[in-house]
mmCIF file of all heavy atoms in Angstrom:
data_model
loop_
_atom_site.group_PDB
_atom_site.id
_atom_site.type_symbol
_atom_site.label_atom_id
_atom_site.label_comp_id
_atom_site.label_asym_id
_atom_site.label_seq_id
_atom_site.Cartn_x
_atom_site.Cartn_y
_atom_site.Cartn_z
ATOM 1 N N GLU A 848 135.039 89.596 48.478
ATOM 2 C CA GLU A 848 135.713 90.252 47.355
ATOM 3 C C GLU A 848 134.712 90.938 46.424
ATOM 4 O O GLU A 848 134.823 90.893 45.208
ATOM 5 C CB GLU A 848 136.592 89.267 46.593
ATOM 6 C CG GLU A 848 137.728 88.705 47.446
ATOM 7 C CD GLU A 848 138.682 87.833 46.677
ATOM 8 O OE1 GLU A 848 138.407 86.624 46.557
ATOM 9 O OE2 GLU A 848 139.699 88.364 46.188
ATOM 10 N N HIS A 849 133.727 91.581 47.034
ATOM 11 C CA HIS A 849 132.742 92.398 46.332
ATOM 12 C C HIS A 849 132.827 93.810 46.909
ATOM 13 O O HIS A 849 132.387 94.049 48.034
ATOM 14 C CB HIS A 849 131.327 91.851 46.513
ATOM 15 C CG HIS A 849 131.012 90.659 45.657
ATOM 16 N ND1 HIS A 849 131.689 89.475 45.771
ATOM 17 C CD2 HIS A 849 130.084 90.484 44.661
ATOM 18 C CE1 HIS A 849 131.197 88.600 44.892
ATOM 19 N NE2 HIS A 849 130.229 89.192 44.208
ATOM 20 N N LYS A 850 133.419 94.715 46.162
ATOM 21 C CA LYS A 850 133.601 96.089 46.629
ATOM 22 C C LYS A 850 132.466 96.963 46.098
ATOM 23 O O LYS A 850 132.280 97.077 44.877
ATOM 24 C CB LYS A 850 134.945 96.642 46.172
ATOM 25 C CG LYS A 850 135.229 98.060 46.662
ATOM 26 C CD LYS A 850 136.617 98.508 46.265
ATOM 27 C CE LYS A 850 136.890 99.943 46.705
ATOM 28 N NZ LYS A 850 136.815 100.103 48.167
ATOM 29 N N LEU A 851 131.715 97.561 47.003
ATOM 30 C CA LEU A 851 130.610 98.431 46.603
ATOM 31 C C LEU A 851 131.170 99.659 45.890
ATOM 32 O O LEU A 851 131.964 100.403 46.451
ATOM 33 C CB LEU A 851 129.811 98.853 47.833
ATOM 34 C CG LEU A 851 128.590 99.750 47.591
ATOM 35 C CD1 LEU A 851 127.529 99.016 46.776
ATOM 36 C CD2 LEU A 851 128.009 100.232 48.914
ATOM 37 N N SER A 852 130.747 99.864 44.641
ATOM 38 C CA SER A 852 131.248 101.001 43.862
ATOM 39 C C SER A 852 130.211 102.095 43.708
ATOM 40 O O SER A 852 130.558 103.277 43.602
ATOM 41 C CB SER A 852 131.715 100.533 42.480
ATOM 42 O OG SER A 852 130.641 99.948 41.750
ATOM 43 N N SER A 853 128.928 101.729 43.678
ATOM 44 C CA SER A 853 127.876 102.738 43.586
ATOM 45 C C SER A 853 126.594 102.186 44.191
ATOM 46 O O SER A 853 126.408 100.964 44.297
ATOM 47 C CB SER A 853 127.637 103.161 42.126
ATOM 48 O OG SER A 853 127.124 102.074 41.364
ATOM 49 N N ILE A 854 125.727 103.112 44.578
ATOM 50 C CA ILE A 854 124.494 102.706 45.243
ATOM 51 C C ILE A 854 123.428 103.759 44.983
ATOM 52 O O ILE A 854 123.712 104.960 44.973
ATOM 53 C CB ILE A 854 124.745 102.525 46.765
ATOM 54 C CG1 ILE A 854 123.462 102.122 47.493
ATOM 55 C CG2 ILE A 854 125.342 103.763 47.376
ATOM 56 C CD1 ILE A 854 123.716 101.776 48.963
ATOM 57 N N ASN A 855 122.220 103.309 44.740
ATOM 58 C CA ASN A 855 121.067 104.204 44.599
ATOM 59 C C ASN A 855 120.156 103.955 45.797
ATOM 60 O O ASN A 855 119.483 102.922 45.875
ATOM 61 C CB ASN A 855 120.324 103.934 43.285
ATOM 62 C CG ASN A 855 119.227 104.951 43.018
ATOM 63 O OD1 ASN A 855 118.446 105.283 43.908
ATOM 64 N ND2 ASN A 855 119.143 105.431 41.788
ATOM 65 N N LEU A 856 120.156 104.896 46.726
ATOM 66 C CA LEU A 856 119.426 104.686 47.970
ATOM 67 C C LEU A 856 117.919 104.742 47.779
ATOM 68 O O LEU A 856 117.169 104.148 48.561
ATOM 69 C CB LEU A 856 119.861 105.727 49.010
ATOM 70 C CG LEU A 856 121.331 105.654 49.432
ATOM 71 C CD1 LEU A 856 121.666 106.783 50.391
ATOM 72 C CD2 LEU A 856 121.650 104.310 50.067
ATOM 73 N N ASN A 857 117.460 105.430 46.772
ATOM 74 C CA ASN A 857 116.008 105.519 46.543
ATOM 75 C C ASN A 857 115.448 104.221 45.987
ATOM 76 O O ASN A 857 114.335 103.810 46.321
ATOM 77 C CB ASN A 857 115.695 106.676 45.589
ATOM 78 C CG ASN A 857 116.030 108.030 46.197
ATOM 79 O OD1 ASN A 857 115.825 108.243 47.392
ATOM 80 N ND2 ASN A 857 116.558 108.939 45.385
ATOM 81 N N GLU A 858 116.245 103.573 45.143
ATOM 82 C CA GLU A 858 115.765 102.347 44.492
ATOM 83 C C GLU A 858 116.302 101.079 45.136
ATOM 84 O O GLU A 858 115.843 99.976 44.818
ATOM 85 C CB GLU A 858 116.151 102.382 43.010
ATOM 86 C CG GLU A 858 115.527 103.555 42.253
ATOM 87 C CD GLU A 858 115.944 103.576 40.796
ATOM 88 O OE1 GLU A 858 116.657 102.631 40.369
ATOM 89 O OE2 GLU A 858 115.579 104.533 40.087
ATOM 90 N N GLY A 859 117.300 101.213 45.992
ATOM 91 C CA GLY A 859 117.878 100.031 46.631
ATOM 92 C C GLY A 859 118.734 99.216 45.690
ATOM 93 O O GLY A 859 118.873 98.000 45.852
ATOM 94 N N THR A 860 119.348 99.857 44.700
ATOM 95 C CA THR A 860 120.212 99.153 43.748
ATOM 96 C C THR A 860 121.672 99.405 44.083
ATOM 97 O O THR A 860 122.040 100.458 44.602
ATOM 98 C CB THR A 860 119.938 99.608 42.310
ATOM 99 O OG1 THR A 860 120.176 101.026 42.212
ATOM 100 C CG2 THR A 860 118.499 99.317 41.923
ATOM 101 N N MET A 861 122.500 98.411 43.768
ATOM 102 C CA MET A 861 123.930 98.478 44.090
ATOM 103 C C MET A 861 124.743 97.916 42.943
ATOM 104 O O MET A 861 124.270 97.059 42.190
ATOM 105 C CB MET A 861 124.219 97.667 45.365
ATOM 106 C CG MET A 861 123.436 98.077 46.591
ATOM 107 S SD MET A 861 123.409 96.755 47.844
ATOM 108 C CE MET A 861 122.314 95.549 47.059
ATOM 109 N N GLU A 862 125.974 98.387 42.830
ATOM 110 C CA GLU A 862 126.936 97.841 41.877
ATOM 111 C C GLU A 862 128.218 97.507 42.612
ATOM 112 O O GLU A 862 128.687 98.292 43.447
ATOM 113 C CB GLU A 862 127.219 98.834 40.749
ATOM 114 C CG GLU A 862 126.038 99.036 39.800
ATOM 115 C CD GLU A 862 126.404 99.923 38.626
ATOM 116 O OE1 GLU A 862 127.284 100.809 38.799
ATOM 117 O OE2 GLU A 862 125.818 99.730 37.545
ATOM 118 N N PHE A 863 128.773 96.341 42.283
ATOM 119 C CA PHE A 863 129.966 95.861 42.967
ATOM 120 C C PHE A 863 131.069 95.541 41.967
ATOM 121 O O PHE A 863 130.811 95.017 40.880
ATOM 122 C CB PHE A 863 129.662 94.587 43.774
ATOM 123 C CG PHE A 863 128.683 94.788 44.886
ATOM 124 C CD1 PHE A 863 127.319 94.618 44.664
ATOM 125 C CD2 PHE A 863 129.107 95.138 46.158
ATOM 126 C CE1 PHE A 863 126.399 94.795 45.683
ATOM 127 C CE2 PHE A 863 128.194 95.309 47.188
ATOM 128 C CZ PHE A 863 126.845 95.136 46.948
ATOM 129 N N LYS A 864 132.305 95.845 42.397
ATOM 130 C CA LYS A 864 133.477 95.438 41.617
ATOM 131 C C LYS A 864 134.020 94.132 42.186
ATOM 132 O O LYS A 864 134.043 93.927 43.407
ATOM 133 C CB LYS A 864 134.565 96.519 41.702
ATOM 134 C CG LYS A 864 134.228 97.823 41.020
ATOM 135 C CD LYS A 864 135.382 98.818 41.170
ATOM 136 C CE LYS A 864 135.058 100.137 40.496
ATOM 137 N NZ LYS A 864 136.162 101.131 40.659
ATOM 138 N N GLN A 865 134.461 93.246 41.276
ATOM 139 C CA GLN A 865 135.057 91.987 41.678
ATOM 140 C C GLN A 865 136.435 91.863 41.042
ATOM 141 O O GLN A 865 136.674 92.370 39.941
ATOM 142 C CB GLN A 865 134.183 90.807 41.239
ATOM 143 C CG GLN A 865 132.790 90.782 41.828
ATOM 144 C CD GLN A 865 131.948 89.705 41.180
ATOM 145 O OE1 GLN A 865 131.235 89.937 40.210
ATOM 146 N NE2 GLN A 865 132.032 88.488 41.721
ATOM 147 N N PRO A 866 137.364 91.183 41.726
ATOM 148 C CA PRO A 866 138.702 91.004 41.143
ATOM 149 C C PRO A 866 138.639 90.253 39.813
ATOM 150 O O PRO A 866 137.905 89.264 39.679
ATOM 151 C CB PRO A 866 139.432 90.175 42.211
ATOM 152 C CG PRO A 866 138.665 90.365 43.466
ATOM 153 C CD PRO A 866 137.253 90.571 43.054
ATOM 154 N N TYR A 867 139.395 90.749 38.858
ATOM 155 C CA TYR A 867 139.556 90.087 37.560
ATOM 156 C C TYR A 867 138.261 90.013 36.747
ATOM 157 O O TYR A 867 138.153 89.244 35.800
ATOM 158 C CB TYR A 867 140.112 88.667 37.730
ATOM 159 C CG TYR A 867 141.263 88.586 38.699
ATOM 160 C CD1 TYR A 867 141.125 87.909 39.913
ATOM 161 C CD2 TYR A 867 142.485 89.201 38.421
ATOM 162 C CE1 TYR A 867 142.188 87.850 40.820
ATOM 163 C CE2 TYR A 867 143.541 89.144 39.315
ATOM 164 C CZ TYR A 867 143.378 88.473 40.509
ATOM 165 O OH TYR A 867 144.422 88.429 41.392
ATOM 166 N N VAL A 868 137.255 90.799 37.130
ATOM 167 C CA VAL A 868 135.998 90.826 36.387
ATOM 168 C C VAL A 868 135.749 92.266 35.942
ATOM 169 O O VAL A 868 135.670 93.176 36.779
ATOM 170 C CB VAL A 868 134.810 90.326 37.248
ATOM 171 C CG1 VAL A 868 133.509 90.397 36.442
ATOM 172 C CG2 VAL A 868 135.071 88.904 37.723
ATOM 173 N N LYS A 869 135.629 92.470 34.637
ATOM 174 C CA LYS A 869 135.448 93.824 34.126
ATOM 175 C C LYS A 869 134.054 94.365 34.403
ATOM 176 O O LYS A 869 133.875 95.514 34.786
ATOM 177 C CB LYS A 869 135.720 93.856 32.618
ATOM 178 C CG LYS A 869 137.183 93.661 32.243
ATOM 179 C CD LYS A 869 137.371 93.822 30.747
ATOM 180 C CE LYS A 869 138.843 93.693 30.374
ATOM 181 N NZ LYS A 869 139.054 93.856 28.900
ATOM 182 N N GLU A 870 133.048 93.533 34.198
ATOM 183 C CA GLU A 870 131.675 93.983 34.367
ATOM 184 C C GLU A 870 131.328 94.136 35.843
ATOM 185 O O GLU A 870 131.730 93.327 36.682
ATOM 186 C CB GLU A 870 130.701 92.999 33.715
ATOM 187 C CG GLU A 870 130.832 92.884 32.206
ATOM 188 C CD GLU A 870 131.999 91.998 31.788
ATOM 189 O OE1 GLU A 870 132.532 91.280 32.679
ATOM 190 O OE2 GLU A 870 132.393 92.054 30.609
ATOM 191 N N LEU A 871 130.586 95.178 36.148
ATOM 192 C CA LEU A 871 130.111 95.376 37.503
ATOM 193 C C LEU A 871 128.942 94.450 37.796
ATOM 194 O O LEU A 871 128.072 94.236 36.937
ATOM 195 C CB LEU A 871 129.683 96.830 37.712
ATOM 196 C CG LEU A 871 130.783 97.885 37.621
ATOM 197 C CD1 LEU A 871 130.181 99.281 37.742
ATOM 198 C CD2 LEU A 871 131.845 97.675 38.691
ATOM 199 N N LEU A 872 128.931 93.903 39.000
ATOM 200 C CA LEU A 872 127.799 93.079 39.427
ATOM 201 C C LEU A 872 126.705 93.987 39.963
ATOM 202 O O LEU A 872 126.959 94.828 40.822
ATOM 203 C CB LEU A 872 128.238 92.101 40.514
ATOM 204 C CG LEU A 872 127.107 91.300 41.163
ATOM 205 C CD1 LEU A 872 126.537 90.284 40.178
ATOM 206 C CD2 LEU A 872 127.587 90.593 42.434
ATOM 207 N N GLN A 873 125.503 93.816 39.468
ATOM 208 C CA GLN A 873 124.371 94.621 39.913
ATOM 209 C C GLN A 873 123.466 93.786 40.802
ATOM 210 O O GLN A 873 123.237 92.597 40.549
ATOM 211 C CB GLN A 873 123.595 95.170 38.719
ATOM 212 C CG GLN A 873 124.411 96.101 37.842
ATOM 213 C CD GLN A 873 123.604 96.680 36.698
ATOM 214 O OE1 GLN A 873 122.533 96.187 36.366
ATOM 215 N NE2 GLN A 873 124.116 97.754 36.090
ATOM 216 N N ASP A 874 122.941 94.405 41.846
ATOM 217 C CA ASP A 874 122.028 93.708 42.746
ATOM 218 C C ASP A 874 121.080 94.723 43.368
ATOM 219 O O ASP A 874 121.320 95.941 43.322
ATOM 220 C CB ASP A 874 122.798 92.971 43.840
ATOM 221 C CG ASP A 874 122.024 91.782 44.403
ATOM 222 O OD1 ASP A 874 120.823 91.653 44.078
ATOM 223 O OD2 ASP A 874 122.611 91.003 45.177
ATOM 224 N N THR A 875 119.993 94.221 43.935
ATOM 225 C CA THR A 875 119.009 95.065 44.605
ATOM 226 C C THR A 875 118.685 94.466 45.967
ATOM 227 O O THR A 875 118.921 93.279 46.219
ATOM 228 C CB THR A 875 117.712 95.180 43.791
ATOM 229 O OG1 THR A 875 117.126 93.869 43.646
ATOM 230 C CG2 THR A 875 117.983 95.769 42.410
ATOM 231 N N ALA A 876 118.141 95.299 46.833
ATOM 232 C CA ALA A 876 117.721 94.826 48.153
ATOM 233 C C ALA A 876 116.580 95.694 48.657
ATOM 234 O O ALA A 876 116.448 96.859 48.271
ATOM 235 C CB ALA A 876 118.896 94.873 49.133
ATOM 236 N N ASP A 877 115.752 95.101 49.508
ATOM 237 C CA ASP A 877 114.681 95.874 50.135
ATOM 238 C C ASP A 877 115.231 96.820 51.197
ATOM 239 O O ASP A 877 114.676 97.891 51.439
ATOM 240 C CB ASP A 877 113.659 94.926 50.782
ATOM 241 C CG ASP A 877 113.012 94.000 49.764
ATOM 242 O OD1 ASP A 877 112.378 94.502 48.819
ATOM 243 O OD2 ASP A 877 113.160 92.763 49.912
ATOM 244 N N LEU A 878 116.335 96.398 51.828
ATOM 245 C CA LEU A 878 116.974 97.212 52.869
ATOM 246 C C LEU A 878 118.479 97.048 52.757
ATOM 247 O O LEU A 878 118.980 95.929 52.648
ATOM 248 C CB LEU A 878 116.500 96.780 54.257
ATOM 249 C CG LEU A 878 117.163 97.470 55.455
ATOM 250 C CD1 LEU A 878 116.883 98.974 55.447
ATOM 251 C CD2 LEU A 878 116.688 96.842 56.773
ATOM 252 N N ILE A 879 119.206 98.166 52.780
ATOM 253 C CA ILE A 879 120.669 98.155 52.738
ATOM 254 C C ILE A 879 121.183 98.611 54.104
ATOM 255 O O ILE A 879 120.805 99.677 54.595
ATOM 256 C CB ILE A 879 121.195 99.091 51.630
ATOM 257 C CG1 ILE A 879 120.701 98.617 50.267
ATOM 258 C CG2 ILE A 879 122.718 99.146 51.657
ATOM 259 C CD1 ILE A 879 120.966 99.600 49.139
ATOM 260 N N VAL A 880 122.039 97.789 54.700
ATOM 261 C CA VAL A 880 122.601 98.087 56.022
ATOM 262 C C VAL A 880 124.101 98.337 55.848
ATOM 263 O O VAL A 880 124.865 97.414 55.575
ATOM 264 C CB VAL A 880 122.354 96.933 57.011
ATOM 265 C CG1 VAL A 880 122.898 97.297 58.396
ATOM 266 C CG2 VAL A 880 120.870 96.608 57.091
ATOM 267 N N GLY A 881 124.506 99.578 55.990
ATOM 268 C CA GLY A 881 125.905 99.941 55.807
ATOM 269 C C GLY A 881 126.712 99.747 57.071
ATOM 270 O O GLY A 881 126.552 100.495 58.038
ATOM 271 N N CYS A 882 127.575 98.736 57.060
ATOM 272 C CA CYS A 882 128.483 98.472 58.176
ATOM 273 C C CYS A 882 129.910 98.504 57.642
ATOM 274 O O CYS A 882 130.754 97.679 58.013
ATOM 275 C CB CYS A 882 128.180 97.115 58.806
ATOM 276 S SG CYS A 882 126.481 96.904 59.381
ATOM 277 N N ASP A 883 130.172 99.449 56.754
ATOM 278 C CA ASP A 883 131.423 99.463 55.998
ATOM 279 C C ASP A 883 132.429 100.477 56.516
ATOM 280 O O ASP A 883 133.228 101.024 55.756
ATOM 281 C CB ASP A 883 131.156 99.667 54.505
ATOM 282 C CG ASP A 883 130.174 100.783 54.190
ATOM 283 O OD1 ASP A 883 129.438 101.204 55.094
ATOM 284 O OD2 ASP A 883 130.135 101.233 53.037
ATOM 285 N N GLY A 884 132.408 100.729 57.801
ATOM 286 C CA GLY A 884 133.506 101.416 58.459
ATOM 287 C C GLY A 884 133.513 102.933 58.365
ATOM 288 O O GLY A 884 132.599 103.558 57.835
ATOM 289 N N ALA A 885 134.598 103.504 58.877
ATOM 290 C CA ALA A 885 134.706 104.947 59.007
ATOM 291 C C ALA A 885 134.680 105.673 57.671
ATOM 292 O O ALA A 885 134.300 106.841 57.599
ATOM 293 C CB ALA A 885 135.992 105.301 59.757
ATOM 294 N N PHE A 886 135.068 104.998 56.607
ATOM 295 C CA PHE A 886 135.068 105.605 55.279
ATOM 296 C C PHE A 886 133.964 104.994 54.420
ATOM 297 O O PHE A 886 134.130 104.727 53.234
ATOM 298 C CB PHE A 886 136.444 105.444 54.633
ATOM 299 C CG PHE A 886 137.551 106.035 55.456
ATOM 300 C CD1 PHE A 886 138.340 105.229 56.267
ATOM 301 C CD2 PHE A 886 137.786 107.400 55.451
ATOM 302 C CE1 PHE A 886 139.345 105.764 57.050
ATOM 303 C CE2 PHE A 886 138.792 107.951 56.233
ATOM 304 C CZ PHE A 886 139.574 107.138 57.034
ATOM 305 N N SER A 887 132.829 104.795 55.040
ATOM 306 C CA SER A 887 131.676 104.092 54.463
ATOM 307 C C SER A 887 131.240 104.639 53.103
ATOM 308 O O SER A 887 130.998 105.836 52.942
ATOM 309 C CB SER A 887 130.507 104.180 55.451
ATOM 310 O OG SER A 887 129.310 103.782 54.851
ATOM 311 N N THR A 888 131.114 103.739 52.136
ATOM 312 C CA THR A 888 130.574 104.105 50.822
ATOM 313 C C THR A 888 129.086 104.403 50.920
ATOM 314 O O THR A 888 128.574 105.297 50.240
ATOM 315 C CB THR A 888 130.822 102.967 49.814
ATOM 316 O OG1 THR A 888 132.231 102.714 49.726
ATOM 317 C CG2 THR A 888 130.301 103.339 48.428
ATOM 318 N N VAL A 889 128.389 103.661 51.780
ATOM 319 C CA VAL A 889 126.955 103.908 51.965
ATOM 320 C C VAL A 889 126.737 105.298 52.532
ATOM 321 O O VAL A 889 125.872 106.055 52.069
ATOM 322 C CB VAL A 889 126.326 102.834 52.884
ATOM 323 C CG1 VAL A 889 124.838 103.117 53.080
ATOM 324 C CG2 VAL A 889 126.525 101.437 52.311
ATOM 325 N N ARG A 890 127.541 105.670 53.529
ATOM 326 C CA ARG A 890 127.397 107.007 54.112
ATOM 327 C C ARG A 890 127.757 108.097 53.106
ATOM 328 O O ARG A 890 127.139 109.167 53.088
ATOM 329 C CB ARG A 890 128.270 107.138 55.360
ATOM 330 C CG ARG A 890 128.000 108.444 56.143
ATOM 331 C CD ARG A 890 129.013 108.676 57.225
ATOM 332 N NE ARG A 890 130.346 108.884 56.706
ATOM 333 C CZ ARG A 890 131.415 108.182 57.094
ATOM 334 N NH1 ARG A 890 131.295 107.234 58.001
ATOM 335 N NH2 ARG A 890 132.602 108.425 56.564
ATOM 336 N N GLN A 891 128.760 107.849 52.289
ATOM 337 C CA GLN A 891 129.150 108.836 51.280
ATOM 338 C C GLN A 891 127.983 109.165 50.354
ATOM 339 O O GLN A 891 127.828 110.307 49.916
ATOM 340 C CB GLN A 891 130.343 108.323 50.478
ATOM 341 C CG GLN A 891 131.654 108.311 51.248
ATOM 342 C CD GLN A 891 132.785 107.675 50.459
ATOM 343 O OE1 GLN A 891 132.676 107.484 49.257
ATOM 344 N NE2 GLN A 891 133.855 107.335 51.142
ATOM 345 N N GLN A 892 127.160 108.157 50.068
ATOM 346 C CA GLN A 892 125.981 108.408 49.247
ATOM 347 C C GLN A 892 124.922 109.171 50.040
ATOM 348 O O GLN A 892 124.236 110.049 49.517
ATOM 349 C CB GLN A 892 125.407 107.090 48.729
ATOM 350 C CG GLN A 892 124.281 107.238 47.726
ATOM 351 C CD GLN A 892 124.726 107.949 46.458
ATOM 352 O OE1 GLN A 892 125.842 107.755 45.996
ATOM 353 N NE2 GLN A 892 123.866 108.789 45.901
ATOM 354 N N MET A 893 124.794 108.856 51.321
ATOM 355 C CA MET A 893 123.834 109.555 52.173
ATOM 356 C C MET A 893 124.171 111.038 52.299
ATOM 357 O O MET A 893 123.272 111.883 52.404
ATOM 358 C CB MET A 893 123.804 108.921 53.571
ATOM 359 C CG MET A 893 123.077 107.606 53.662
ATOM 360 S SD MET A 893 122.956 107.080 55.397
ATOM 361 C CE MET A 893 121.927 105.630 55.230
ATOM 362 N N VAL A 894 125.472 111.353 52.298
ATOM 363 C CA VAL A 894 125.903 112.742 52.432
ATOM 364 C C VAL A 894 125.296 113.611 51.328
ATOM 365 O O VAL A 894 125.050 114.808 51.524
ATOM 366 C CB VAL A 894 127.446 112.828 52.414
ATOM 367 C CG1 VAL A 894 127.916 114.272 52.296
ATOM 368 C CG2 VAL A 894 128.029 112.195 53.672
#
């Protein structure tokens, strides 16, 4: 129940929406692997 809402591919930062939580959860990673389907949010950023 963490929906990726935005991503910075250069810095490896991400923001996620959670049910019933107003604030976005922020996280970082050394590597982001987008396996989020045909309507991929990760790919949308790559475009």
Side-chain angles (χ1 to χ4, degrees):
E848 297 185 274
H849 282 62
K850 182 176 178 61
L851 181 64
S852 61
S853 66
I854 179 173
N855 187 314
L856 297 176
N857 294 322
E858 299 179 4
T860 59
M861 303 161 289
E862 290 185 330
F863 296 90
K864 292 180 180 179
Q865 299 172 267
Y867 315 113
V868 179
K869 290 185 177 180
E870 296 79 13
L871 295 176
L872 173 70
Q873 298 182 344
D874 205 350
T875 62
D877 299 300
L878 176 62
I879 298 170
V880 182
C882 303
D883 46 343
F886 303 99
S887 167
T888 301
V889 179
R890 189 190 65 234
Q891 288 175 15
Q892 187 62 37
M893 284 187 174
V894 170

